[in-house]
Amino acid sequence: METTDSVKGPISYFVSCPRCGYKLCKGEEGSHVIIKCPNCSVHVRIKINENTVAHIMTKEELEAERNKPRIYYVNPDFQSK
């Protein structure tokens, strides 16, 4: 099988907990998630972009996130078969 270097997929990044160093997730540029660390139980907001950030959330930030109204966009072209 031949491989070419000209075809490259998106770069993936691994993000660790800023408190304990536990590997939390793998993501691509544009990812934005909130994860509870299974090792030390803190909630971490992760944004992956040119300035990747892993931030331990305060109780106030976590409560505000829970109360935020959610908007979901559905692909109108999607049809179940």
Side-chain angles (χ1 to χ4, degrees):
M1 185 167 127
E2 241 177 79
T3 60
T4 60
D5 290 335
S6 62
V7 178
K8 294 183 181 180
I11 297 173
S12 294
Y13 299 92
F14 289 94
V15 182
S16 299
C17 176
R19 177 179 282 170
C20 69
Y22 185 87
K23 185 167 66 171
L24 295 173
C25 68
K26 177 180 172 182
E28 298 173 356
E29 179 136 353
S31 299
H32 179 198
V33 294
I34 297 173
I35 295 177
K36 182 177 180 181
C37 177
N39 193 43
C40 68
S41 299
V42 297
H43 286 85
V44 181
R45 178 187 303 271
I46 299 168
K47 293 181 182 179
I48 300 176
N49 54 27
E50 63 275 351
N51 302 315
T52 298
V53 176
H55 165 72
I56 296 175
M57 297 178 74
T58 64
K59 289 181 182 179
E60 293 80 18
E61 290 174 322
L62 192 57
E63 192 62 33
E65 190 67 33
R66 286 184 180 138
N67 294 330
K68 187 187 296 184
R70 304 289 181 208
I71 299 173
Y72 297 99
Y73 297 97
V74 178
N75 183 351
D77 297 330
F78 178 79
Q79 295 178 6
S80 58
K81 295 181 181 180

